[in-house]
Amino acid sequence: MFRKFFTGLLIVMTSATTFGATGDSLKGRVMIDGSSTVFPITEAVAEDFRSIHPRVRVAIGVSGTGGGFKKYLNRESDINNASRSIKGSEIELAKTNKIAYEEIPVAYDGISVVVHPENDWASNITVAELKKIWQPGSQVKTWKDVRSTWPDKPIRLYGPGTDSGTFDYFTEAVNGKSHVSRSDYTKAVDPNVLVQGVINDKYALAYFGFSYYNANKAKLKALSVAVNDKAAPVAPTEETINNGTYKPLARAIYIYVNPESLKNQSVLEFTKHYMTAAPRLVSEVGYVPLPDSKYQENLARLQILVK
């Protein structure tokens, strides 16, 4: 596998497996961009895919869900990783540019609210307190501003940039409207940057996808989230994300596929492999798989699209 790092962009050059083709006869290219949250799954699928067809190159960019949709709707990619559903404005652009799309769920995620492991005052937080912190014009500057029993110490915030589907989902779930948020926090396209920010800052608070917390849980502490003052706080785990009790931050995550791109045999075989490999690989990279029946349903949809 060949990797190059750019600002806000990670390219993974790999190869692919197949269903219809045999041996290493398949060759071509699959262009993917989009969500950093979905990236670990797609990367794992691409790595799994490469052993059969080394002449198929899979390029994976990380521009955030919104940035990825911009490229997808400009015909710069075949597949968009997305940690939210397509927006109305993006649907209109798709119509204008005459670009079709198929939304295919690939896993469940739970946006995790995390702090430094030496934070010994906060173990849970309510949605109202999250809104108090993250709403536009927020006056929260210290932990004490959030909850009176917490210390009068600065609260330093870390979160995804505005092109991120995680940002879109979190702001809608917490603040009531997508893209509505305070702006005075440390932003990063790469969640690993946010992880390191919290690891190195006792007074930090951040939010990002469950996989990035799960991969670093020895160095981070996830707060349990309560939907209101009367509800019991719920921690993000595979079980609570899967059964929907981790409210309101559990969600499905997706890939979007251009049906026109499926005429490219390399794209078709990669996408089909995604559906057969995901039940195994999703768990390996720290996310929650869909029911097996859902992957089979996705596979059947792909078969219909190419008829």
Side-chain angles (χ1 to χ4, degrees):
M1 185 173 62
F2 174 66
R3 301 187 185 196
K4 282 189 178 180
F5 287 85
F6 300 91
T7 303
L9 179 67
L10 169 59
I11 298 293
V12 175
M13 302 304 294
T14 184
S15 52
T17 59
T18 184
F19 291 76
T22 58
D24 64 353
S25 60
L26 187 66
K27 61 181 179 179
R29 185 172 64 174
V30 182
M31 301 297 294
I32 307 170
D33 210 293
S35 167
S36 60
T37 300
V38 185
F39 168 78
I41 304 172
T42 302
E43 180 190 36
V45 171
E47 289 180 351
D48 193 64
F49 197 46
R50 68 178 177 172
S51 60
I52 298 177
H53 291 291
R55 291 193 292 173
V56 175
R57 297 191 304 163
V58 181
I60 310 173
V62 184
S63 302
T65 298
F69 269 125
K70 289 175 186 175
K71 293 183 179 182
Y72 180 92
L73 297 174
N74 198 36
R75 293 187 173 85
E76 295 176 35
S77 64
D78 305 301
I79 297 170
N80 191 48
N81 293 329
S83 59
R84 60 161 171 80
S85 292
I86 190 169
K87 293 180 177 180
S89 58
E90 293 160 343
I91 292 172
E92 289 305 311
L93 183 58
K95 291 177 180 176
T96 299
N97 292 350
K98 295 181 171 57
I99 296 175
Y101 57 85
E102 285 292 319
E103 179 186 87
I104 302 177
V106 295
Y108 295 126
D109 177 36
I111 298 175
S112 302
V113 180
V114 304
V115 296
H116 192 279
E118 292 181 11
N119 179 324
D120 57 4
W121 58 90
S123 59
N124 60 75
I125 196 164
T126 67
V127 173
E129 287 170 333
L130 286 172
K131 183 175 183 179
K132 187 177 182 181
I133 294 169
W134 288 100
Q135 66 187 343
S138 172
Q139 298 302 302
V140 170
K141 299 184 184 301
T142 70
W143 284 93
K144 189 177 181 66
D145 292 334
V146 182
R147 194 179 292 184
S148 62
T149 56
W150 288 349
D152 190 15
K153 296 291 184 179
I155 184 170
R156 287 186 280 269
L157 302 174
Y158 297 79
T162 56
D163 269 342
S164 166
T166 299
F167 173 81
D168 290 334
Y169 191 96
F170 182 88
T171 51
E172 183 167 352
V174 170
N175 292 334
K177 187 176 181 181
S178 178
H179 262 244
V180 171
S181 174
R182 68 188 297 168
S183 59
D184 56 336
Y185 67 95
T186 300
K187 306 174 183 68
V189 172
D190 183 355
N192 290 300
V193 175
L194 307 178
V195 168
Q196 289 304 312
V198 178
I199 288 173
N200 295 317
D201 189 344
K202 181 178 178 178
Y203 298 108
L205 180 142
Y207 67 90
F208 40 74
F210 178 71
S211 173
Y212 292 92
Y213 159 66
N214 203 32
N216 297 278
K217 58 185 176 184
K219 302 175 183 178
L220 300 170
K221 184 171 83 170
L223 300 184
S224 298
V225 176
V227 292
N228 54 52
D229 292 335
K230 297 180 180 179
V234 178
T237 66
E238 289 191 11
E239 181 181 2
T240 61
I241 293 167
N242 190 26
N243 65 24
T245 57
Y246 182 61
K247 298 178 180 178
L249 299 179
R251 57 178 176 168
I253 54 180
Y254 312 91
I255 59 171
Y256 279 73
V257 181
N258 188 335
E260 189 69 24
S261 293
L262 294 175
K263 294 177 182 178
N264 176 336
Q265 192 69 18
S266 295
V267 176
L268 174 62
E269 299 300 340
F270 175 81
T271 309
K272 289 164 66 179
H273 185 74
Y274 207 124
M275 296 306 111
T276 58
R280 168 173 49 89
L281 297 175
V282 165
S283 294
E284 288 184 10
V285 297
Y287 287 106
V288 181
L290 306 172
D292 287 346
S293 59
K294 188 62 180 178
Y295 293 112
Q296 290 303 312
E297 180 184 320
N298 291 342
L299 195 57
R301 286 171 60 196
L302 290 171
Q303 300 283 18
I304 293 170
L305 286 171
V306 295
K307 281 185 177 179

